[in-house]
Amino acid sequence: DALEDVRDLGGMPFAAHPLSARADLRFRGWDLPGPWGVEILNTDSEARRAGPRLLLTLGLYRLNPGYALLQGLSRPDDMLARWDEVLARRDAVGLSGSDAHSRLALTKRWAVRFPSYESLFRLARNHVLLERRLTGDARADRAAVLDGLWKGRFYVGLDALAPADAFDFAVEGGPGERWTMGEHAPARPGLQAVAGGRVPRGTRLILLRDGRPAGDGVESLSLPLPGPGVYRVEARVPGWPAPWVLTNPVYVHDEATRERRRLAAAWPGPPSPPAELRLLPDLPGSAVFTPEFDPTSWMDTAVVAPGAGPGGADALRLAFRLAAPSPTQPFTWCALVNRQARDLSGWSGLRF
């Protein structure tokens, strides 16, 4: 339901902190349909698994907030492995989430304002590749950024370690042929992976095919592709365990494989109609619905709309004004209610 709500509101769903140390925050919908993505880096999850390294972060924070927060990061092996499992069967966009709260709980009642929002937002960024420059028109620019996120045309960079805004990864073919992150290249001989840009000295670039290393380079990379697969790049700076850059993949498959992967990430179609359908008034007991609402809200008590239903039958009409919650009435509601006790164990669902 949550995935469909995000879709219906015009957004793209991402699974937040999917492997959190807190069981109640973990994502369990790995087999859910729909084109959802995952957070491959979540700073809250990283802090929870940092353990004693957090003491070093606290000690260094006043001197250099960015450097201190980097001390709490390690290579997210489990998350990357789980992402590669999903990528083996379908496309899935990966992004970074700061999960910024600017609050470190010391007890149930006491907390400190740490770390700052500014330092967390500077730690890691999603670098989106736009098809055109931003115009200053909020509506148009918002659509352009969301389009880049939706297509996976971006990479994650630890900008607190080094600015990552000039990194690049693509697959190239013949003259003028180039496929960047989030795009699909045809599976054929002669394709080459290229990666690099402005990178720290000694940075090792690793090309991964279906989650396994397929080659590497220092400060730049140019390698022929060994065959079809899901290709992504990790950039690692000497002396730091966490990757400096994690790219989204370039997908290299034939048409049949691409279509199979598309269907695996598609929204499900409408459900099949039930084998048997009965109207509520045909069941034993009362079928009358009455309005119920909290004392601060309002509902029209004339809830029956004669002849407004299918085939000229009566329908129910819900006209209401929901009040804002307040200290004296924290929960507000308006509902049409039928309190008839029924045994529905032999039925598969209700249709309204």
Side-chain angles (χ1 to χ4, degrees):
D1 288 349
L3 297 178
E4 293 175 347
D5 288 344
V6 174
R7 175 200 64 188
D8 294 344
L9 290 170
M12 178 181 179
F14 285 89
H17 37 68
L19 298 184
S20 174
R22 280 182 52 179
D24 59 323
L25 296 180
R26 291 177 201 151
F27 180 61
R28 294 180 174 82
W30 297 102
D31 295 322
L32 288 173
W36 45 266
V38 294
E39 279 185 344
I40 55 176
L41 178 66
N42 178 278
T43 54
D44 180 74
S45 296
E46 290 298 306
R48 292 179 187 276
R49 71 189 188 103
R53 284 182 287 119
L54 275 181
L55 297 175
L56 183 58
T57 297
L58 290 170
L60 294 173
Y61 183 77
R62 291 181 63 85
L63 299 175
N64 188 323
Y67 181 83
L69 293 176
L70 287 168
Q71 302 301 313
L73 301 181
S74 59
R75 177 175 162 79
D77 290 309
D78 293 344
M79 186 59 245
L80 294 176
R82 197 62 189 263
W83 186 34
D84 287 326
E85 289 178 13
V86 177
L87 289 171
R89 65 179 188 273
R90 49 164 289 175
D91 298 2
V93 178
L95 88 169
S96 169
S98 61
D99 208 345
H101 301 287
S102 189
R103 180 179 182 276
L104 180 64
L106 302 178
T107 68
K108 290 184 177 181
R109 298 183 58 186
W110 298 97
V112 295
R113 304 293 292 181
F114 167 87
S116 70
Y117 287 114
E118 182 180 17
S119 60
L120 277 175
F121 292 151
R122 286 181 171 178
L123 178 61
R125 293 172 177 165
N126 300 300
H127 294 264
V128 183
L129 308 181
L130 302 179
E131 296 182 354
R132 56 170 177 77
R133 290 183 178 275
L134 296 178
T135 63
D137 182 315
R139 184 184 297 273
D141 291 346
R142 173 183 178 274
V145 172
L146 288 178
D147 184 64
L149 293 173
W150 183 271
K151 293 177 179 178
R153 290 173 55 89
F154 67 96
Y155 57 91
V156 174
L158 286 183
D159 290 77
L161 180 57
D165 55 338
F167 190 81
D168 185 47
F169 164 54
V171 168
E172 296 180 347
E177 292 184 317
R178 195 173 195 271
W179 298 270
T180 190
M181 291 160 277
E183 295 183 337
H184 294 260
R188 67 170 190 243
L191 298 181
Q192 188 166 353
V194 292
R198 189 177 66 225
V199 304
R201 180 175 299 175
T203 298
R204 183 177 173 225
L205 307 184
I206 303 168
L207 177 68
L208 295 106
R209 176 194 185 193
D210 299 329
R212 295 180 292 274
D216 61 5
V218 177
E219 299 182 16
S220 65
L221 179 149
S222 181
L223 295 170
L225 299 189
V230 178
Y231 289 90
R232 61 182 184 86
V233 167
E234 296 182 10
R236 304 177 187 173
V237 175
W240 293 92
W244 171 55
V245 164
L246 294 168
T247 75
N248 270 288
V250 177
Y251 305 95
V252 181
H253 298 112
D254 57 36
E255 288 291 342
T257 302
R258 186 184 306 179
E259 178 63 12
R260 186 166 62 249
R261 294 173 61 87
R262 186 192 69 80
L263 292 175
W267 294 109
S272 301
E276 183 181 2
L277 181 68
R278 293 183 65 183
L279 297 177
L280 190 63
D282 296 337
L283 298 177
S286 172
V288 175
F289 281 78
T290 57
E292 293 187 10
F293 49 97
D294 71 273
T296 62
S297 297
W298 171 86
M299 284 187 68
D300 189 342
T301 56
V303 298
V304 177
D314 292 346
L316 294 176
R317 172 176 172 270
L318 178 61
F320 66 96
R321 183 171 61 247
L322 188 65
S326 66
T328 57
Q329 185 68 50
F331 303 105
T332 59
W333 73 92
C334 296
L336 292 177
V337 180
N338 175 277
R339 296 191 178 276
Q340 174 68 51
R342 303 179 190 278
D343 180 9
L344 300 177
S345 59
W347 299 88
S348 60
L350 297 171
R351 179 177 294 178
F352 295 91

